[in-house]
Amino acid sequence: MTTPRTKILVTGGAGYIGSHAVVELYQAGYQPVIVDNFSNSQESALAGIESILGTTVPIYRIDCADEAALRGVFAAEPNIAGVIHFAAFKAVGESVQKPLAYFKNNVGSMLALLAVMPEFGVENLVFSSSCTVYGIPDALPVTEATPTKPASSPYGRTKQMCEDIVHDVAAAPDNKLRTILLRYFNPIGAHESAKIGELPLGVPNNLVPFITQTAAGIREKLTINGSDYDTPDGTNIRDYIHVVDLAKSHVVAVQRLLDHKATDTVETFNVGTGHGNSVLEVVKTFEQVTGQKLNYSIGPRRPGDVPAIYADATKAAEVLGFRTETSLADSLASAWKWQQTLAK
Ligand code: UD1
């Protein structure tokens, strides 16, 4: 008789990072169970996941902020060992336009999860946080001990609030919850199979999908948001991490919780490469690796942009044994391969 796979609930499991995490979890021997309401994801992600894995994955089409519906999922899926909580809105600009929608969805889904998990004795949580919690850092690279700063958008504030909520819940006397907060830097690229990847709806906000859509002729040109920053080439610096590397960090985080290796009720890790690249470096690397000439020009600064941020990735390496494996060039090549697949 084969041992049943350890069940991990993945909220937002049909989304960009969630879908890659579902694949990595299954390939590491876990049984992912997806919760997604497809508000910012597509059914085609499920077909991609199933094609890569050669098996179906249970999916519950519910809103994670709907506590009663979430309770129904936990009741239908006994023995969930842990939860990875991705489900959230993530567009910085949109969050300024619709702040209430962001608080309702991002904070609401966290509250619903934290209410329902203990009812079913589920004690392990991995949460998708963001480097946005550091604001404009005073020194680089940022470590987990770098103080957080006021968020520059409602989106960023939802990530800070969710971190705060988790800390308060963990400090309660009867707490049994153990959480790993993963602070992502900038995820890019797609699965090597090009069966799953980012599916931006409408005009992309993020750099790499805008680059690939421009190269594919869907957008006329890329506008670089400012070249007068205090950085070597004047453009913003970010830490671009391949989405499959990022997905793998969730597998090691879950494993750490299930092995009872966490040394605190809440542990925080940066998940980045540890290297910063400027917007111009990303553009040039994309051109080199794909042979595509990119139509771009320099535009004004984008409000809310941090001049430069990249991770100190030491803690994740030393404590989780997590290191990224994919270069910027390979990450951009995978993004381009995915774009070409989408065009077909
Ligand atoms: C932002 C958030 C981050 C969030 C991510 C998800 C902040 C500070 N950062 O990352 O927390 O996880 O969105 O959506 O809130 N750029 C251009 N032209 C473009 C698009 C982007 O020059 O058309 C530049 C940006 O100005 C920036 C860099 O490319 O310097 C990366 O931008 P983007 O991909 O949007 O990510 P962040 O803003 O870093």
Side-chain angles (χ1 to χ4, degrees), residues 90-92 129-133 135 152-153 155-156 159 184-188 198 204-211 222-226 229 235-238 240 279 301-302 304-307 309:
K90 61 167 187 176
V92 174
S129 190
S130 166
C131 68
T132 193
V133 301
S152 63
S153 70
Y155 158 77
K159 292 294 173 189
Y184 312 155
F185 286 69
N186 289 49
I188 60 166
E198 194 167 6
N205 294 297
N206 296 117
L207 178 63
V208 171
F210 209 103
I211 287 176
L222 168 78
T223 304
I224 293 181
N225 300 326
Y229 285 95
T235 64
N236 287 162
I237 292 174
R238 297 286 182 274
Y240 295 95
V279 177
R301 291 183 176 198
R302 185 172 71 174
D305 264 340
V306 171
I309 187 163

Side-chain angles (χ1 to χ4, degrees), residues 189-191 194-200 204 207-219 286 290 292 331-344:
H191 195 265
K195 289 178 175 174
I196 52 172
E198 194 167 6
L199 287 165
L207 178 63
V208 171
F210 209 103
I211 287 176
T212 59
Q213 288 196 7
T214 305
I218 301 167
R219 309 282 155 211
F286 179 84
T290 64
Q292 299 290 314
S331 300
L332 291 170
S334 76
W336 180 232
K337 184 177 171 191
W338 168 242
Q339 180 67 56
Q340 290 170 299
T341 308
L342 280 181
K344 289 178 201 146

Side-chain angles (χ1 to χ4, degrees), residues 131 134-149 185 237 270 306-312:
C131 68
Y134 296 116
I136 299 179
D138 294 330
L140 290 171
V142 289
T143 74
E144 293 78 358
T146 297
T148 58
K149 294 272 191 73
F185 286 69
I237 292 174
N270 285 339
V306 171
I309 187 163
Y310 54 95
D312 182 324

